[in-house]
Structure formats: structure tokens, C-alpha cells
Amino acid sequence: MGNSSKTSRKAAAAQLANAVERSALLGRPGFLIRRLHQIHCGLFLDETREHNITPVQYSLMTTLSTHGEMDQNSLAHEIGLERTSVAEVIPRLEARGLLKRRQSDEDRRFKLVKLSRKGVYLLKKMEPAVQRAHDRTIEAIPKDQRDVFMLQLIRLVEANNENGSAPFRLSKGGGG
């Protein structure tokens, strides 16, 4: 192990110790993740206010945009939300004309959901505002470290996915 890597680890440990002195909560990953989520939701709502769409609604709509028509259970699985939460979001979006629902021809117990033309248009229109919210969320991280930060978040989600209250479908593959 090189001296520069040992030095940078010591500097990071000292910075972390200093932060924890300011508040013990700053040493707790769960607190930090929850707080960052609150901050991101605030930034998202700030940037997308005129569209009146929540981050969860946006995730649901972008998943339908990517995958096309889906049953509600599969949709819940794709975004890592409980089925009951998805069942509450869908009627709101449907009432605004952003989604269409129909009974499955193969199995009448299943409702299929897809984006309406209006929903597709809204997603496209929201893209710049949503990107600004994402950029603002991580703007305090130097640009050359943002990919590493994102990869660390992905690593944590993938490593702990089975511990969540609702499964999130992770595709296999990709490079290591």
C-alpha cells in the first residue's frame, strides 16, 4: 500500500471524526441516506413543481416508458415499491390522463398499465427539470468523483436489495 493512499485514508478518517464531533448523526449511514433522500425529493419537487409529479410517480412513469405495458405487480417489482403503494399511485396518474389501465386478456385478475400519449409527452417535457434535480443533488461532489459515488450507491443497493420491504428487480449482467 502506497504512502499517498495511506495519507488520504488518514485525512478522510480525520474529516469523518470532525463531522461526527459536530453531530453523532453524521456518522450514521442510515441517517445520511434518509436525509439525502429528503433533500433530493425537495430538489426534485422544486425543479418539477409546474408538472405536479412526485419522484415515485416519475419512477413509475419512466419504468412504463422503458418497458411498455405491464401488470401492476411487475411494475411494483421494477421500481422496488410495495404493490399497495403502486396501487395508490396509479389511479392518481390515470385520473390526470397520464396512464391507461385495462384488464388483461390472458388473466382477468390482472390490470395492465401503460403510459398515455399525454404521459409520454409529460415525461419528455420534464427531462431537463429532472436532470437539474439530479445534478443539484450531487453538485457538492467534485465532477471527477461523481461516477464513483454513483457506483458506490449502486453497490449498496445491490448488496442489500433482498433486505428491503419491497423487492427491486435487478437485471443480471453488466461489467464488474
Side-chain angles (χ1 to χ4, degrees), residues 82-97:
E82 293 183 7
R83 197 174 35 85
T84 54
S85 297
V86 169
E88 291 171 5
V89 171
I90 288 172
R92 289 187 208 122
L93 294 173
E94 184 181 30
R96 290 180 57 191

Side-chain angles (χ1 to χ4, degrees), residues 94-135:
E94 184 181 30
R96 290 180 57 191
L98 301 172
L99 300 181
K100 293 183 177 185
R101 270 194 301 184
R102 69 176 183 90
Q103 208 125 28
S104 169
D105 295 332
E106 290 83 39
D107 189 335
R108 305 295 288 168
R109 294 172 297 172
F110 287 105
K111 293 260 188 189
L112 299 176
V113 185
K114 70 177 183 177
L115 278 178
S116 67
R117 206 175 282 149
K118 183 178 176 183
V120 171
Y121 173 76
L122 180 61
L123 272 182
K124 193 75 173 154
K125 189 174 176 186
M126 288 182 69
E127 280 178 13
V130 170
Q131 189 58 55
R132 283 192 305 274
H134 291 308
D135 292 344

Side-chain angles (χ1 to χ4, degrees), residues 34-89:
R34 180 190 60 77
R35 183 67 185 129
L36 185 59
H37 178 258
Q38 288 175 321
I39 290 165
H40 174 71
C41 286
L43 293 170
F44 182 95
L45 294 173
D46 183 50
E47 290 291 345
T48 64
R49 181 167 283 116
E50 70 181 272
H51 305 295
N52 195 29
I53 293 290
T54 67
V56 168
Q57 291 170 337
Y58 185 77
S59 293
L60 187 146
M61 291 174 66
T62 55
T63 298
L64 289 172
S65 175
T66 302
H67 296 285
E69 187 174 62
M70 302 177 78
D71 69 83
Q72 291 179 202
N73 290 338
S74 297
L75 181 56
H77 218 60
E78 285 295 324
I79 58 179
L81 270 183
E82 293 183 7
R83 197 174 35 85
T84 54
S85 297
V86 169
E88 291 171 5
V89 171

